[in-house]
Amino acid sequence: MRPFDDSPLARDGKVLILAYDHGLEHGPVDFDGLAGSEDPARTFEAATHPAVTSVAVQKGIAEAYYPSYEESVDLLVKLNGTSNLWMGEPDSAVNCSVEYAAELGASSVGFTLYGGSNHEIEMAEEFREAQEAARAHDLPVVMWSYPRGQGLKNDTAPETIAYAARQALELGADVAKVKYPGSQAAMERAVAMAGRTRVVMSGGSKTTDRKFLESVKAVIDAGGVGLAVGRNVWQREDPTRILDALEAVIFDETGVDEALARAE
Ligand code: FBP
């Protein structure tokens, strides 16, 4: 029994996760361009936008801020994560148990798998524990499926992203969060490989409204169910505008021009 459809992680089968684990994964550099963006409360406020189905944070931010937003925001707790200070082969420490995520109020959990890393075996074994515990708690699992490591030349090549999506299906994730492979056709292949696991795109670094929305539109047209996005929302001066446009493209399936017009 897979818990995705009944979960607040999805609305009408679509997903818009607002990711805010960058302070750990990238460090303070991600907050440099916009004063105030280092304040988690600002992103929780953005997550009260009706388009956002869930906010994804690490345990410490969930502990400190979620009690103020329990009524207005749905919580995804990221179970593993590593700082950018780590210089080894890609790996991710398990920082939170599924049990504790549930206690914090999470209605879903997230887990990074670096397929192709020299640490893939240990990470997959850790994922197995998390996925089975999540099943016991009826919590959907989102896999940040990010192939990377010394043997991998191009981590967004179409075949790599198709493999990332397949890995998520094979290992029991409900949602595969993958990088954009560069075209709608490549995303269609990833969606086909993922079978009954839903596919969402990972936002990436900040770009123009139009370029960003075009990639989101290609994902929806390819059969993806949405997006897990961070910087392209909370690094903007006004996160509401881009969330209005994302709501149009993801939930109303409009074109990019109409979405941009709605965000005026
Ligand atoms: P963005 O939309 O800002 O790319 O965020 C998505 C995300 O997966 C975050 O959850 C995570 O912190 C970050 O990207 C990791 O990106 P990478 O490992 O590629 O630097």
Side-chain angles (χ1 to χ4, degrees):
M1 180 61 190
R2 310 182 77 197
F4 175 83
D5 286 321
D6 294 335
S7 154
L9 176 64
R11 173 158 61 89
D12 302 330
K14 301 284 184 51
V15 170
L16 203 179
I17 298 166
L18 185 54
Y20 190 72
D21 57 343
H22 303 64
L24 177 66
E25 295 285 344
H26 295 164
V29 66
D30 272 13
F31 307 129
D32 280 352
L34 185 62
S37 61
E38 74 283 2
D39 181 0
R42 181 177 178 274
T43 292
F44 273 95
E45 287 300 328
T48 63
H49 189 290
V52 176
T53 57
S54 217
V55 68
V57 293
Q58 287 280 336
K59 150 175 130 176
I61 288 190
E63 279 181 341
Y65 293 86
Y66 192 57
S68 310
Y69 291 91
E70 277 172 350
E71 301 299 322
S72 49
V73 173
D74 179 69
L75 179 68
L76 179 158
V77 168
K78 190 77 200 308
L79 301 177
N80 63 352
T82 321
S83 87
N84 210 14
L85 303 167
W86 166 251
M87 289 297 153
E89 184 66 3
D91 202 355
S92 194
V94 180
N95 307 312
C96 186
S97 66
V98 170
E99 290 70 23
Y100 193 56
E103 255 176 63
L104 289 170
S107 71
S108 61
V109 292
F111 199 101
T112 295
L113 182 79
Y114 295 130
S117 159
N118 288 346
H119 299 296
E120 177 182 334
I121 303 303
E122 294 83 348
M123 294 187 84
E125 289 172 357
E126 289 161 359
F127 180 77
R128 184 235 317 146
E129 274 183 34
Q131 192 265 358
E132 291 177 6
R135 288 286 176 263
H137 284 79
D138 209 22
L139 299 178
V141 182
V142 180
M143 181 188 281
W144 273 230
S145 193
Y146 287 179
R148 63 177 59 160
Q150 59 184 359
L152 216 82
K153 300 282 175 286
N154 179 356
D155 62 5
T156 57
E159 269 315 286
T160 305
I161 299 304
Y163 207 155
R166 187 69 186 197
Q167 214 171 2
L169 167 67
E170 303 271 352
L171 298 184
D174 299 286
V175 179
K177 172 180 186 315
V178 298
K179 306 260 179 191
Y180 185 59
S183 71
Q184 186 180 320
M187 202 57 164
E188 276 167 15
R189 180 159 162 78
V191 169
M193 289 304 121
R196 291 189 176 158
T197 291
R198 276 46 168 222
V199 177
V200 298
M201 179 183 91
S202 188
S205 53
K206 190 177 154 207
T207 181
T208 63
D209 290 0
R210 176 169 292 279
K211 210 169 158 221
F212 174 52
L213 292 170
E214 277 170 357
S215 62
V216 178
K217 169 93 178 112
V219 170
I220 297 298
D221 289 348
V225 300
L227 189 63
V229 54
R231 291 163 290 179
N232 268 296
V233 171
W234 55 256
Q235 282 184 346
R236 279 173 161 74
E237 290 280 351
D238 180 4
T240 304
R241 275 193 60 254
I242 195 74
L243 286 170
D244 288 344
L246 286 172
E247 182 161 38
V249 173
I250 295 172
F251 295 94
D252 302 335
E253 301 197 4
T254 73
V256 171
D257 288 334
E258 184 180 337
L260 284 167
R262 283 201 204 175
E264 283 310 313

